[in-house]
Amino acid sequence: MTTSPSSPASDEHQPPAVTDHLAWRRHLPALASAAAGINHASNAWDAVSDSFCDQDGWPVDEKGYADGKVKRDAEAWKHVEVFLDHGPEVLAAVRAAANSADYAGGPISEDLYRLRGIDTTLGRAGRLRHEWDQIMVLMEGSQPGSLQLYQESAEEHRNAEGWHYAHELSDQGPALVRAAEYLADRTDAERPSHAERARVALSRSAPGNRRVPSDAPAAARRRIRRPRVLPADAPSAESRRHQTGRSPDPRRPPLLSPALLRRTPSVRGA
């Protein structure tokens, strides 16, 4: 009977380790794209911000300067929300997979060091998003015109507050992605070796493949004997019995053929 991909019967055939491994790794492309998006928004603003200011750095075009920052903040906040949605699961997996050597001086030691403050960044950004959601709930009963005005103002405030967290994620985000990719690749490389060791262990434990060490006691070596292989043209057990007068089973007494019995003196006539 066919089962849907979400049915319990199909899930039973999925190894738990593989499922867990893929569950957090699938977030990496989204996080990598979000990290690049924050840096792009920041670099785009840096490229034009000087044009709105004088030589001392003071804005001479205040409206253009303000509009540019609003655009930068709005673009960056979209990527912050991607980190809120996908970052915690990847962060937990990275910390579970990293060992003391990774923190001490491995290839991702600097990236792991950058991640020390990412919990605070994600936590505060998450609270900011929660406050925004609450404001939108309170404004549901407003008039359409007023709702749009208040919503735009609230969005600008949220995005402006969120730029600080976006700026921090511009450094912490790429570090999270690099560390996660490194640990995922290392896990992929280790998995075949584990599978090979399990296969060898199973083959050794098979009944026909048990071996006794050469230094084992003689009694132990005698307990495990390989079955005797007879040539293809060897006579059958019945044929050997007629020819030799012996039972094919050495543990049983000899069986005499009828001809031998006629030549054997009777006990009564002896």
Side-chain angles (χ1 to χ4, degrees), residues 50-63:
D50 290 342
S51 63
F52 299 106
C53 304
D54 57 20
Q55 294 180 351
D56 297 328
W58 293 98
V60 293
D61 184 354
E62 294 186 359
K63 185 177 184 307

Side-chain angles (χ1 to χ4, degrees), residues 152-196:
E152 292 177 355
S153 177
E155 282 183 354
E156 288 186 13
H157 176 75
R158 180 201 61 189
N159 298 342
E161 291 290 325
W163 167 249
H164 173 71
Y165 310 125
H167 180 68
E168 292 182 343
L169 287 173
S170 67
D171 181 61
Q172 298 167 341
L176 176 61
V177 173
R178 287 192 298 267
E181 289 177 343
Y182 173 83
L183 293 172
D185 292 341
R186 186 173 69 185
T187 303
D188 285 342
E190 291 174 349
R191 286 170 64 83
S193 61
H194 291 309
E196 179 63 19

Side-chain angles (χ1 to χ4, degrees), residues 78-161:
K78 292 190 301 183
H79 303 300
V80 171
E81 290 197 331
V82 174
F83 274 96
L84 292 177
D85 294 336
H86 303 279
E89 185 175 349
V90 175
L91 180 62
V94 165
R95 287 175 173 165
N99 54 40
S100 57
D102 294 323
Y103 285 93
I108 57 172
S109 59
E110 293 185 4
D111 291 327
L112 293 174
Y113 178 82
R114 290 188 178 95
L115 296 181
R116 293 191 305 173
I118 194 172
D119 299 272
T120 301
T121 303
L122 294 176
R124 292 178 177 175
R127 286 194 293 272
L128 182 61
R129 181 168 68 172
H130 179 67
E131 292 173 359
W132 154 259
D133 292 337
Q134 289 183 320
I135 291 174
M136 291 297 99
V137 170
L138 294 174
M139 293 172 56
E140 285 182 354
S142 303
Q143 296 294 327
S146 301
L147 177 61
Q148 182 178 1
L149 179 63
Y150 290 144
Q151 182 175 354
E152 292 177 355
S153 177
E155 282 183 354
E156 288 186 13
H157 176 75
R158 180 201 61 189
N159 298 342
E161 291 290 325

Side-chain angles (χ1 to χ4, degrees), residues 24-66:
W24 65 269
R25 189 176 185 177
R26 62 193 171 97
H27 299 298
L28 296 184
L31 293 180
S33 178
I38 292 175
N39 286 320
H40 180 269
S42 179
N43 294 335
W45 167 245
D46 291 340
V48 300
S49 60
D50 290 342
S51 63
F52 299 106
C53 304
D54 57 20
Q55 294 180 351
D56 297 328
W58 293 98
V60 293
D61 184 354
E62 294 186 359
K63 185 177 184 307
Y65 188 85

